């Protein structure tokens, strides 16, 4: 099952890893291009949990649409100050 995680901070990165390690394909939305690039090419988040090698079933993107495409579940894990903006964009 594909699960979308909106937010690639420490909580979003850790949650993505747990989901992927339990057999899910994970779409991980991040707002910084360098984070997306590192997660997809090096399987590491350079900003958070940088010592953890991420499961290759985690695919990061800058696009909400791409993250949510074919997802059966979504989890918003942005900081509380950004939740309202994320919810508007997702709507």
């Amino acid at each position: 099952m594909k699960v979308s995680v909106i937010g690639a901070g420490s909580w979003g990165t850790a949650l993505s890893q747990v989901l992927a390690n339990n057999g899910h394909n994970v779409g991980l939305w991040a707002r910084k291009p360098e984070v997306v690039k590192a997660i997809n090419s090096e399987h590491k988040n350079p900003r958070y949990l940088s010592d953890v090698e991420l499961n290759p079933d985690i695919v990061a993107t800058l696009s909400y649409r791409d993250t949510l495409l074919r997802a059966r579940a979504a989890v918003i894990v942005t900081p509380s100050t950004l939740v309202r903006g994320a919810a508007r964009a997702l709507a």
Side-chain angles (χ1 to χ4, degrees), residues 3-16 19 26-31 48 64 74-83 86-87 90:
V3 178
S4 295
V5 177
I6 309 299
S10 56
W11 175 226
T13 300
L15 181 59
S16 295
L19 288 165
V26 178
L28 176 60
W29 176 85
R31 61 186 176 103
Y48 301 98
Y64 287 128
V75 184
I76 300 174
V77 293
T78 60
S80 60
T81 57
L82 301 175
V83 169
L90 293 170

Side-chain angles (χ1 to χ4, degrees), residues 17-40:
Q17 181 75 343
V18 169
L19 288 165
N21 286 346
N22 281 284
H24 299 286
N25 294 315
V26 178
L28 176 60
W29 176 85
R31 61 186 176 103
K32 296 194 178 281
E34 63 272 14
V35 172
V36 170
K37 183 178 179 184
I39 289 172
N40 291 335

Side-chain angles (χ1 to χ4, degrees), residues 56-70:
D57 289 332
I58 300 170
V59 177
T61 181
L62 296 168
S63 165
Y64 287 128
R65 174 177 251 168
D66 291 345
T67 302
L68 294 168
L69 188 66
R70 293 188 203 90

